[in-house]
Amino acid sequence: MKLVPVSHESYSVIINYYNTFRIEASELSFTNLFMWRHKYNFHYIIVGDYLWICNIKNESTYYFSQPLGDYSQSDALRLSILELKAMLTEKGMSLIIKKADMSFMSVLQELDFNTDIQEDRNSFDYVYDFGELSALAGNKYHKKKNHINKFMKTVPDFTYYALTEETLPLLKESYHFWFDENPREGLEEDSNSEKHAIEEALNHFELLNFKGGMIQIGGKIEAYTLGEALNPDTLLIHIEKANNAFAGLYTVINQLFLTNQTTDFLWINREQDLGIEGLRKAKLSYHPAFFIEKFIVRFS
């Protein structure tokens, strides 16, 4: 069973499978896989006509993503699953798929495998209406508009920069300030992992071709965000950081990033809340249009 580490050399291989697979789940974007490849020990394997991403926890625990490929070819998909199951059986393991979305769950019902399925609410992606969120249209966004108005009155002198090859050095020099100024007691390892993931993305900006924006106040970058096109009509937000000393800055960087997009998107995927109460509350406050539901599937 030959698993290949996700690296910059994997880009063309993995991207090729996106041509026959519409990504809905945020973790399947190549940028996400690349940024977090060290923390989650991401590898991939091609079995039949399908590509499988694997999170190697340890020598005896492998977690797979749903396969990437053409789901309309049900016989080929069944064979790929059977072959992967057989490989894992030889290693004394069962096939476990994490964060499978409804596109896979729907076709899985037709394949008649013996599985145990568990809803994974903490991994649901929050999806918002792009037009509503960029304009903060309607009474339900009244508080968000107040946050922006307060910021504009208290911080009239700021500059927004789109992330480009020319402005990239600004963010490279300053992205770590948020972590330095917002220590999270007991979560130092998580903070270091996220900082490293952002560094990996910025150091491979040309390869990954993602989008971004930043706000400079008093000569210092105080907010930034990174995102990309998840699919033709959905903008995915990977990272959003802002100095809490400036009230409303999170709302401002979010809106400015959206209103400065040159591509017409219908939806915004702001990823999951990980079961963190404060994060869930914040994501719900932006009024999601729907969720990308996720499931854990264990094959017996």
Side-chain angles (χ1 to χ4, degrees), residues 273-284:
D273 62 37
L274 305 174
I276 301 170
E277 184 178 353
L279 193 54
R280 180 167 295 185
K281 182 178 180 181
K283 289 182 183 290
L284 288 172

Side-chain angles (χ1 to χ4, degrees), residues 173-190:
E173 292 169 2
S174 58
Y175 73 92
H176 56 86
F177 289 155
W178 185 92
F179 296 93
D180 299 340
E181 296 163 0
N182 294 272
R184 294 182 282 183
E185 187 175 351
L187 297 173
E188 291 84 2
E189 185 176 346
D190 289 344

Side-chain angles (χ1 to χ4, degrees), residues 44-56:
Y44 72 89
I45 185 171
I46 298 170
V47 183
D49 296 325
Y50 298 85
L51 181 140
W52 298 78
I53 304 296
C54 181
N55 162 211
I56 300 179

Side-chain angles (χ1 to χ4, degrees), residues 40-66:
Y40 295 107
N41 200 9
F42 283 134
H43 287 63
Y44 72 89
I45 185 171
I46 298 170
V47 183
D49 296 325
Y50 298 85
L51 181 140
W52 298 78
I53 304 296
C54 181
N55 162 211
I56 300 179
K57 293 286 290 183
N58 52 54
E59 290 184 359
S60 59
T61 307
Y62 291 3
Y63 295 129
F64 287 85
S65 71
Q66 64 194 72

Side-chain angles (χ1 to χ4, degrees), residues 11-282:
Y11 179 82
S12 59
V13 176
I14 294 175
I15 288 294
N16 183 55
Y17 281 85
Y18 294 166
N19 295 330
T20 54
F21 183 86
R22 176 185 167 89
I23 300 176
E24 299 286 355
S26 59
E27 50 273 333
L28 291 176
S29 81
F30 184 80
T31 297
N32 254 341
L33 295 173
F34 188 86
M35 287 172 65
W36 296 98
R37 70 191 189 281
H38 296 302
K39 178 177 175 59
Y40 295 107
N41 200 9
F42 283 134
H43 287 63
Y44 72 89
I45 185 171
I46 298 170
V47 183
D49 296 325
Y50 298 85
L51 181 140
W52 298 78
I53 304 296
C54 181
N55 162 211
I56 300 179
K57 293 286 290 183
N58 52 54
E59 290 184 359
S60 59
T61 307
Y62 291 3
Y63 295 129
F64 287 85
S65 71
Q66 64 194 72
L68 304 186
D70 186 355
Y71 285 3
S72 69
Q73 303 298 315
S74 57
D75 288 342
L77 179 56
R78 177 194 294 275
L79 288 173
S80 181
I81 294 172
L82 286 171
E83 187 174 345
L84 183 58
K85 281 176 84 275
M87 292 179 188
L88 290 167
T89 298
E90 289 183 1
K91 295 178 69 68
M93 291 184 281
S94 299
L95 173 58
I96 301 173
I97 296 177
K98 282 197 166 185
K99 301 181 181 180
D101 66 24
M102 288 303 298
S103 68
F104 180 72
M105 299 307 295
S106 297
V107 73
L108 183 61
Q109 292 180 352
E110 303 171 6
L111 298 180
D112 198 30
F113 282 100
N114 188 11
T115 58
D116 175 70
I117 297 172
Q118 176 186 348
E119 183 184 87
D120 187 5
R121 172 62 182 87
N122 294 344
S123 295
F124 282 17
D125 284 342
Y126 289 70
V127 183
Y128 305 83
D129 183 287
F130 186 94
E132 280 190 5
L133 202 56
S134 58
L136 295 178
N139 290 331
K140 63 184 179 181
Y141 293 110
H142 181 69
K143 289 184 178 180
K144 300 297 183 186
K145 286 184 283 190
N146 284 344
H147 292 162
I148 290 178
N149 291 335
K150 183 176 181 179
F151 176 84
M152 295 300 181
K153 289 179 181 178
T154 57
V155 190
D157 187 17
F158 69 91
T159 305
Y160 174 84
Y161 294 100
L163 184 61
T164 64
E165 289 186 9
E166 289 72 29
T167 62
L168 180 62
L170 276 176
L171 192 51
K172 278 189 171 183
E173 292 169 2
S174 58
Y175 73 92
H176 56 86
F177 289 155
W178 185 92
F179 296 93
D180 299 340
E181 296 163 0
N182 294 272
R184 294 182 282 183
E185 187 175 351
L187 297 173
E188 291 84 2
E189 185 176 346
D190 289 344
S191 290
N192 288 334
S193 293
E194 186 176 18
K195 189 192 300 185
H196 182 67
I198 294 170
E199 181 180 5
E200 284 291 291
L202 297 178
N203 286 340
H204 296 86
F205 177 68
E206 185 176 353
L207 169 72
L208 301 174
N209 194 32
F210 55 85
K211 304 171 185 293
M214 63 194 99
I215 291 176
Q216 187 180 65
I217 303 171
K220 180 182 175 185
I221 299 300
E222 298 287 7
Y224 60 92
T225 187
L226 306 179
E228 69 172 325
L230 180 63
N231 56 52
D233 57 29
T234 305
L235 175 67
L236 171 63
I237 307 296
H238 292 295
I239 299 291
E240 188 177 84
K241 301 295 183 188
N243 186 341
N244 283 313
F246 298 95
L249 185 53
Y250 267 105
T251 309
V252 172
I253 186 63
N254 173 71
Q255 189 184 42
L256 287 178
F257 181 56
L258 299 183
T259 55
N260 277 275
Q261 295 306 306
T262 57
T263 304
D264 291 329
F265 293 107
L266 298 177
W267 309 107
I268 307 161
N269 184 319
R270 291 181 62 85
E271 299 188 338
Q272 54 264 44
D273 62 37
L274 305 174
I276 301 170
E277 184 178 353
L279 193 54
R280 180 167 295 185
K281 182 178 180 181

